[in-house]
Amino acid sequence: MDQWTTARAEMVEQQLHRRGISDKRVLAAMASVPRHIFVPESRVNRAYWDGPLSIGYGQTISQPYVVALTCELLEISENAKVLEIGAGSGYAAAVLGNLAHKVISIDRLQKLVSLSRENLKQAGCRNVEVICADGTLGCPAEAPFDAIAVAAGAPAVPDSLKKQLKVGGRLVIPVGRSKRQQDLIRIERLSETEFKTDNLGAVAYVPLVGADGWTDAG
């Protein structure tokens, strides 16, 4: 095994499996996606570090454990269509693409859209489409979705995202009144009008900016 394969194997065992991530498909996806492709060259030696890393433009690539936890909570099937809000450098989208049939990833910053597209191409991920748009509004043209993952903290759960879930679908999103501290929330759509909400505890994400989120990243 090369150094990156070894680093991923150690990450999966020490950061994920030992912390309770048990979904075998999620663990396999985390072990196969080359995270070092998705971090800036200046930070590549910390690609498999147990924490988030800056990718520029005031954004971060999420901690591996948080990506794995989100994927496990979404319970993604092989034929699922997934929406991701906050493409960043494309890493989480690549993991989601390893689990699902199709992924639509949205970012409001064109520079990050271009970066994530380039990284995903380099990683050989062909079932992820990255678009530049207001992620708080979702992607009505592709709805409904089996799963929606939000990689930024919202002041409240956007109604548009809840409406774009299939019945039986799940949404994972950080929600909180602070722009830097939130609770990780999972919402399951039980029927056209009923939703089940679970609080998974405290997290810290960058703000979700948009019409149905924060007005600025401040």
Side-chain angles (χ1 to χ4, degrees):
M1 294 192 294
D2 63 25
Q3 63 168 323
W4 299 123
T5 304
T6 300
R8 283 196 298 279
E10 291 176 352
M11 175 193 74
V12 168
E13 176 57 29
Q14 296 174 11
Q15 300 178 33
L16 310 182
H17 186 259
R18 291 185 184 180
R19 285 183 179 156
I21 301 297
S22 60
D23 187 307
K24 292 181 179 179
R25 294 185 65 238
V26 172
L27 292 171
M30 296 293 291
S32 65
V33 174
R35 183 176 167 89
H36 59 279
I37 288 177
F38 297 89
V39 303
E41 187 174 352
S42 62
R43 294 179 173 85
V44 73
N45 63 329
R46 303 186 76 190
Y48 297 96
W49 178 67
D50 187 16
L53 292 170
S54 172
I55 56 172
Y57 313 105
Q59 305 297 308
T60 61
I61 178 173
S62 294
Q63 177 187 18
Y65 173 76
V66 171
V67 174
L69 176 62
T70 297
C71 291
E72 186 167 76
L73 291 171
L74 289 171
E75 300 181 32
I76 300 167
S77 66
E78 292 181 1
N79 61 351
K81 181 193 287 187
V82 178
L83 176 65
E84 181 196 32
I85 309 303
S89 64
Y91 174 65
V95 177
L96 291 167
N98 199 282
L99 297 166
H101 175 67
K102 182 177 182 180
V103 177
I104 305 294
S105 186
I106 300 177
D107 205 285
R108 68 186 181 89
L109 300 177
Q110 183 59 55
K111 289 183 178 180
L112 287 181
V113 170
S114 300
L115 174 64
S116 59
R117 286 173 178 169
E118 180 180 339
N119 290 341
L120 288 161
K121 181 178 180 180
Q122 185 179 351
C125 190
R126 300 187 187 344
N127 63 337
V128 179
E129 179 182 357
V130 187
I131 60 178
C132 188
D134 181 350
T136 67
L137 303 179
C139 187
E142 291 282 351
F145 297 96
D146 298 284
I148 301 177
V150 183
V157 180
D159 285 338
S160 54
L161 298 185
K162 293 173 67 174
K163 291 176 181 177
Q164 290 175 40
L165 270 181
K166 284 184 181 180
V167 173
R170 296 170 181 82
L171 161 66
V172 173
I173 179 172
V175 177
R177 294 182 180 181
S178 165
K179 288 186 178 181
R180 295 294 175 180
Q181 292 182 330
Q182 307 91 20
D183 287 326
L184 191 63
I185 303 297
R186 179 176 66 175
I187 296 173
E188 182 178 1
R189 188 165 197 170
L190 303 178
S191 69
E192 289 299 319
T193 58
E194 294 177 297
F195 296 86
K196 177 185 176 184
T197 301
D198 296 307
N199 188 321
L200 287 309
V203 290
Y205 281 77
V206 297
L208 179 66
V209 177
D212 215 356
W214 296 102
T215 56
D216 62 78

